[in-house]
Amino acid sequence: MRPVRLELEGFTSFRQPCLIDFAGLDLFAITGATGAGKTSLIDSILFALYGRTPRIGQGLADLISHGAAEMKVLLEFQVGVERYRAFRQVKRKGAGKQRLDHLESGEDWVTIADKSSRMDAETQRILGLDFDGFTKTVVLPQGEFDRFLRGEAKKRRAILIELLGMDVYAQMMRKANEAAAIEAGRAKLLEDQVAKQAQDLSPEKMAGWEAEVATARQQAEEVRELLEQMDAAIPLQARLQEVLQLRRDRDRLLLEIAPLASRLDELGAALQLLEEQSAAAREECDELDSAGSPDLLRRQAEDIRKAVRRRADIAKYQKILDGLKADAEPLAEAMKRAEAELEAAKSDVFAAVKATAADQLREHLHAGEECPVCEQMVVLVPPSKQNATVAEAQAAEKAAAKAYEVARQKHTTAMGNLKLTHQQIKSWEQDLHDVDGDPDVLEARAAKSEAARVRLRGLESQLASSRRELEQAKQQASTMEVKLAAVADRLSGAPEPAEIEKQLGAFAGRDLAAERRRMASALQEIERLMVRREAEIAMAAKAMEDANQKRAEARELQRTAEVARKLGVLLQENRFQTFVLGQTLHRLAVEGTRQLLHLSSNRYGFSTDGDEFLVVDHWNADEKRSVNTLSGGESFLASLALALALSKSLPDFAVNRDGVALDSLFLDEGFSTLDSETMQVVLDAIELLRADGRMIGVISHVSELAERLPAKIEVQKSPGGSSVKVRA
C-alpha cells in the first residue's frame, strides 16, 4: 500500500481542510512541535482504511476537532498497479458515511463498498493485512520493540504472540478440545440410544407380535365370510320389510278413502248455500250503492251541515254590510267639506302672497316718478290693505290639508271594508248553490251500506274457504286413489312373506344391519391391530438397521473425537506454540542480524538462547552477550533492526497473513538518542529500504534528522487548528 493523496478536515488538531500530495515523496520526515499533530496524520490514514486508530480504537467521536460537528478523511492509495480511494465521515449527531472506490480504466471511480463492515473486509482483502498486522508492519512501534528486545522472556513471548497473532493456536486448541468433547458426547449418546433400542426390541416381543398378526389374520377371514353371508341376506330382509309395509299401506288407504265420499257431499251442499247467500248480499249492496258510496254519502251530509252554518254567517255579514253602507255616506260628505276647505285655504295663501308683494313694491313708489314694474309715471301712491300674513295663510292651509287627509283615509277604509264584506257574502252564496237535503238520512243510508258490505265480504270469505276445502278434499281423494293403485301394482307378483322368511333361514327375525355394523367394526379393529403390529415389526426392523448405522456413526465420532483430542494436545502452549515461537525468534535473529550488521558497521549481530536474544560482537571475537549490555544508542539500533526485520518478515510467517508487498513504512520517534554518526548510519539503512521501492516516512521532532532527509512534511499548529506544508 502506497499513499497517493490525503485529505482531512475536522480530524483531531486539523480543524480546517488539509491536503497532502504524496506524489514524488519516497523518503521524507514528518516534523513539527509536540502536540502539532504528526502522529495524527498516521492516525488519519489508519482511520480511512480501517475506521479506527491505535490510540482511540473505535471511540471515533473523540477524534472530531473541538467545536466541529463532523470529521472527514479521504485517502487515495495504490496497491501494485491498482488505484483505490477510501472515504470516511463521522458526525457528532446522526449517521456518518463511508465509501471505498476503485479506479477503473484509469478514469472512472467505481464504488465497491459503502457499508462499514463491507468496507473493512474489502480493505483487508486488498491490503492482505488486518488492522493489527498493518500497525505492526507499516507503522512500526519503536517503544514496543525495545521492550521486546530487552524485556523478560515471558513478556517477549506475549509480545511476539500479539505481534504475530499466534493466539489463534490457543483458539484452535480450545476448538479442538471442544470438538473432542462434543464428538465424544455425541458418540456416547448414540451408544446409549442403541442400548435402549436393544432392550425394547427383544426376540420374544417380536415373536409375540408375529403370533398376534397370524391370529388376527385368521379372525379377519372368518369375519369376512360371515359379512358376505349377511350381505346376501340383507336384500331379502329388506324385500320382506318392503312387502309387509306395502300390505300395511294398502289396508290404511282403504280405511281412509271410505269416509271421503260423504265428506265431499257435505262440502258441496254447504258451498251451494253460501253461493245463494252471497248473491243476495251482493244485490243488496248494489241497490244501496245506487245513491252513492258510504264515503260520498257522509261527505254530502257534512256539506249540508256546513251550508246551514254558512247561511247563518251570510245573514250576520249582511247586517254588517248594511251598517257599513250607512256609515259610508257621512264620511263621504265630511271628505267633500274638507276638500272645499282645503281649496279655500290655498286661495287665501295666494292672496296673502300677492298682497305682501304689493306692499313691498309700494315702499318704492313716489308720486311723479316712474313705476319700476310698468315704467309709467306714478300719479298717486295707493293706500296699503290690511290682509292676513303669508305665514298665517300657510298654517291654515296645512291644517286644512291634514283634515282632508284624515277624512279621505276614513272614507277609503270604510269603502274597502264595504267591498270586502260584499265579496265574502257573494263567495258564500256561490258555495251554497245546489246544496240541499237531510244529513241524518244520508248518514243512516251510509251506515246501512257499510253493514251490507261487511256481510258480503264475510260470505265471500266463507265461500272461498269452502271452495278450497272442497278442492283439497278432491285432491286428497285423488292422491289416495293413486297411492292405492301404486301399492296394488307393487304387490302384484310379490312373493308371500312366509316364502321370503324361509329363504332367510337362520337370519330371519334378526337385525342384520346392526349386526353387520358391529361385525364390520370388529373387522376394522382386527385390521387396525394387524396394521399396527406389522408397522411395529417393520419399525423394529428399521430400528435394527438404524442401530447398526448408529453404531457405525458412533465409531466414526469416536475416531473424530480422538483426532481432535490429539490435535488439542499437539497445540498445547508447551509444544506446538513453543516450536513456532522458537522458529520465529531464530528467523528474526537471522533477518535482524542482516539489518544490524549494516547499522553497526558490521560489528553486531543476533543470536538466540532459548527465548532470550543475545548480541554477537564481531569486533570482539564473536563474543555472545546479553543485549542489556548495549548502550542506549546501540539498543536503539538493535531495536530498529528487529523492527525492520519483523516489518519485512511478518507477512511471510504470521498466522493469518498472505505474502504482501509492503510499499510504505512509517517509523515513529526514537531517533533523539542517536549521535550524528549513528544517525547517518540509520539514515543509510533507511535509504536502502527505499531502494526496495518503499515509501519511507520518519516521524520525529529532531530537526537535524529532518534536515538530512530529501523531503519533509511540516506540521504547524495554531489557534485555528494545525496545517501542513510539504517541502521537497
Side-chain angles (χ1 to χ4, degrees):
M1 192 283 295
R2 187 183 185 95
V4 176
R5 180 185 180 90
L6 177 65
E7 298 179 20
L8 61 159
E9 179 182 356
F11 189 89
T12 61
S13 59
F14 296 92
R15 184 179 295 114
Q16 303 301 323
C18 180
L19 169 64
I20 300 177
D21 188 354
F22 290 96
L25 295 180
D26 292 323
L27 177 60
F28 59 91
I30 301 177
T31 65
T34 301
K38 300 184 296 297
T39 303
S40 292
L41 291 179
I42 307 304
D43 287 343
S44 68
I45 294 176
L46 292 170
F47 169 70
L49 293 173
Y50 295 98
R52 55 179 172 150
T53 65
R55 294 186 294 173
I56 302 298
Q58 293 180 329
L60 302 178
D62 295 335
L63 296 173
I64 300 177
S65 301
H66 181 69
E70 63 178 11
M71 65 177 180
K72 296 183 291 186
V73 177
L74 175 67
L75 173 66
E76 185 177 337
F77 61 96
Q78 188 168 338
V79 178
V81 297
E82 300 296 330
R83 185 74 64 89
Y84 298 91
R85 185 171 63 186
F87 171 78
R88 293 186 190 262
Q89 175 195 42
V90 175
K91 298 181 179 181
R92 292 191 186 274
K93 295 182 180 180
K97 297 179 181 178
Q98 54 279 321
R99 186 180 70 253
L100 180 62
D101 301 331
H102 177 230
L103 184 62
E104 296 186 356
S105 302
E107 56 185 15
D108 296 326
W109 288 103
V110 177
T111 300
I112 59 177
D114 58 3
K115 304 294 183 185
S116 180
S117 58
R118 175 67 177 166
M119 183 172 174
D120 295 344
E122 283 296 314
T123 300
Q124 184 171 336
R125 180 188 65 80
I126 293 168
L127 299 182
L129 295 169
D130 61 9
F131 177 80
D132 293 334
F134 190 88
T135 56
K136 294 174 178 64
T137 57
V138 178
V139 181
L140 297 185
Q142 291 292 331
E144 189 168 322
F145 275 91
D146 183 66
R147 292 192 300 273
F148 177 76
L149 175 67
R150 301 198 295 178
E152 298 177 1
K154 182 178 180 180
K155 293 182 178 180
R156 185 180 298 109
R157 288 171 60 88
I159 293 172
L160 191 59
I161 288 173
E162 179 184 359
L163 289 174
L164 302 181
M166 289 180 60
D167 55 343
V168 69
Y169 295 124
Q171 296 175 11
M172 290 173 59
M173 181 187 69
R174 288 194 296 272
K175 292 290 184 181
N177 292 333
E178 291 173 1
I182 291 172
E183 298 303 294
R186 291 175 60 191
K188 180 65 168 58
L189 178 61
L190 290 175
E191 291 171 351
D192 292 344
Q193 292 175 355
V194 170
K196 179 66 170 57
Q197 288 177 341
Q199 294 176 357
D200 295 339
L201 301 175
S202 63
E204 293 79 8
K205 183 177 291 187
M206 292 284 291
W209 287 348
E210 292 173 351
E212 286 184 22
V213 170
T215 301
R217 188 173 289 110
Q218 178 63 32
Q219 292 175 347
E221 289 299 326
E222 295 174 355
V223 172
R224 289 192 188 97
E225 183 178 352
L226 183 58
L227 286 174
E228 290 177 358
Q229 297 174 3
M230 287 183 173
D231 290 340
I234 284 175
L236 289 175
Q237 193 177 61
R239 182 58 175 160
L240 175 61
Q241 295 299 324
E242 181 185 9
V243 171
L244 293 174
Q245 183 62 43
L246 287 172
R247 288 178 172 238
R248 288 191 293 272
D249 291 343
R250 181 192 60 188
D251 297 340
R252 177 180 54 78
L253 288 171
L254 289 173
L255 291 174
E256 291 177 352
I257 288 176
L260 278 178
S262 59
R263 175 63 177 164
L264 288 172
D265 294 339
E266 292 175 359
L267 290 174
L271 179 61
Q272 184 178 358
L273 178 60
L274 286 172
E275 288 176 344
E276 293 173 355
Q277 292 175 349
S278 178
R282 188 174 294 106
E283 289 178 0
E284 183 183 5
C285 287
D286 292 342
E287 181 182 356
L288 291 171
D289 288 345
S290 62
S293 66
D295 291 339
L296 177 60
L297 294 174
R298 286 193 175 90
R299 286 196 298 272
Q300 289 176 353
E302 181 62 26
D303 290 342
I304 292 171
R305 289 190 175 90
K306 288 182 178 179
V308 172
R309 293 193 296 271
R310 189 60 68 205
R311 288 188 181 97
D313 292 337
I314 290 173
K316 179 181 177 182
Y317 269 66
Q318 189 62 48
K319 292 180 181 180
I320 295 174
L321 181 62
D322 294 340
L324 290 174
K325 288 180 179 180
D327 294 338
E329 293 178 359
L331 290 174
E333 292 297 329
M335 185 180 68
K336 290 180 180 179
R337 288 194 299 272
E339 185 178 9
E341 291 175 357
L342 176 60
E343 291 299 326
K346 289 180 178 180
S347 299
D348 293 343
V349 170
F350 179 75
V353 171
K354 183 177 179 181
T356 301
D359 289 339
Q360 292 176 351
L361 180 60
R362 185 180 293 108
E363 293 178 358
H364 301 284
L365 293 178
H366 301 281
E369 296 180 357
E370 290 183 355
C371 174
V373 177
C374 62
E375 296 182 351
Q376 299 294 324
M377 183 66 68
V378 177
V379 179
L380 178 65
V381 177
S384 174
K385 296 181 179 180
Q386 298 297 322
N387 295 324
T389 64
V390 175
E392 290 173 349
Q394 289 177 341
E397 180 189 13
K398 185 176 182 181
K402 183 176 181 182
Y404 170 73
E405 183 62 26
V406 171
R408 188 189 64 78
Q409 289 179 356
K410 288 181 179 181
H411 180 264
T412 301
T413 301
M415 293 305 292
N417 291 335
L418 182 63
K419 182 178 180 181
L420 290 175
T421 303
H422 186 267
Q423 290 175 347
Q424 184 65 62
I425 291 172
K426 289 295 183 182
S427 175
W428 285 343
E429 287 176 346
Q430 291 177 358
D431 293 340
L432 293 176
H433 184 68
D434 294 335
V435 177
D436 198 3
D438 188 346
D440 295 334
V441 173
L442 293 174
E443 287 186 348
R445 190 178 183 88
K448 186 176 180 180
S449 178
E450 285 183 343
R453 287 171 179 270
V454 171
R455 285 194 303 274
L456 177 60
R457 285 195 295 271
L459 289 171
E460 289 177 344
S461 176
Q462 293 178 16
L463 181 61
S465 178
S466 295
R467 286 172 177 166
R468 287 194 300 271
E469 189 175 359
L470 178 60
E471 185 63 27
Q472 289 174 357
K474 288 180 179 180
Q475 290 179 357
Q476 186 178 4
S478 176
T479 301
M480 287 184 178
E481 290 174 355
V482 172
K483 288 182 178 179
L484 183 60
V487 170
D489 183 64
R490 293 176 64 184
L491 282 174
S492 64
E496 292 295 324
E499 182 181 349
I500 299 175
E501 289 178 351
K502 183 179 179 180
Q503 294 177 3
L504 286 171
F507 290 121
R510 291 165 58 178
D511 187 355
L512 293 181
E515 289 185 19
R516 193 194 186 289
R517 287 193 296 271
R518 289 194 294 272
M519 294 301 294
S521 177
L523 178 61
Q524 290 179 352
E525 185 62 31
I526 293 171
E527 290 175 342
R528 280 196 292 269
L529 175 62
M530 291 171 57
V531 171
R532 186 166 64 252
R533 287 294 183 246
E534 288 173 348
E536 289 173 345
I537 292 171
M539 290 175 60
K542 179 66 173 63
M544 290 179 180
E545 180 182 352
D546 184 58
N548 293 332
Q549 184 177 354
K550 286 181 178 179
R551 290 189 185 96
E553 290 179 4
R555 289 192 295 271
E556 184 63 28
L557 289 172
Q558 288 171 349
R559 285 193 292 270
T560 303
E562 180 62 19
V563 171
R565 187 190 65 78
K566 289 180 179 179
L567 179 60
V569 172
L570 291 174
L571 290 175
Q572 289 179 1
E573 187 176 356
N574 59 354
R575 295 189 179 186
F576 182 76
Q577 292 188 46
T578 299
F579 170 77
V580 173
L581 287 173
Q583 292 298 311
T584 302
L585 287 174
H586 174 72
R587 184 163 178 178
L588 283 176
V590 172
E591 180 62 28
T593 295
R594 191 178 70 84
Q595 298 287 346
L596 186 56
L597 284 173
H598 175 73
L599 294 175
S600 63
S601 300
N602 294 321
R603 178 177 180 179
Y604 293 115
F606 286 112
S607 179
T608 58
D609 183 11
D611 290 340
E612 296 289 344
F613 274 115
L614 299 177
V615 63
V616 180
D617 190 348
H618 295 295
W619 288 5
N620 193 16
D622 294 336
E623 178 188 9
K624 295 181 179 180
R625 51 190 172 89
S626 172
V627 293
N628 293 323
T629 62
L630 296 173
S631 65
E634 291 173 338
S635 294
F636 171 74
L637 294 178
S639 298
L640 178 61
L642 278 180
L644 296 176
L646 183 62
S647 173
K648 183 175 182 180
S649 303
L650 181 62
D652 296 330
F653 57 61
V655 172
N656 55 345
R657 309 291 189 254
D658 297 327
V660 177
L662 301 178
D663 298 327
S664 58
L665 180 66
F666 293 92
L667 301 174
D668 192 357
E669 279 300 349
F671 298 95
S672 59
T673 60
L674 302 179
D675 55 30
S676 298
E677 182 180 354
T678 304
M679 184 176 295
Q680 186 60 49
V681 173
V682 170
L683 292 177
D684 291 342
I686 293 174
E687 183 69 25
L688 289 177
L689 289 176
R690 186 181 68 159
D692 294 337
R694 290 192 186 185
M695 172 189 287
I696 308 297
V698 178
I699 303 172
S700 178
H701 61 274
V702 178
S703 59
E704 182 181 356
L705 174 65
E707 294 299 329
R708 295 187 181 186
L709 295 179
K712 63 180 175 179
I713 298 175
E714 294 182 356
V715 182
Q716 301 172 347
K717 64 178 180 179
S718 67
S722 298
S723 60
V724 297
K725 182 178 294 185
V726 179
R727 299 184 184 275

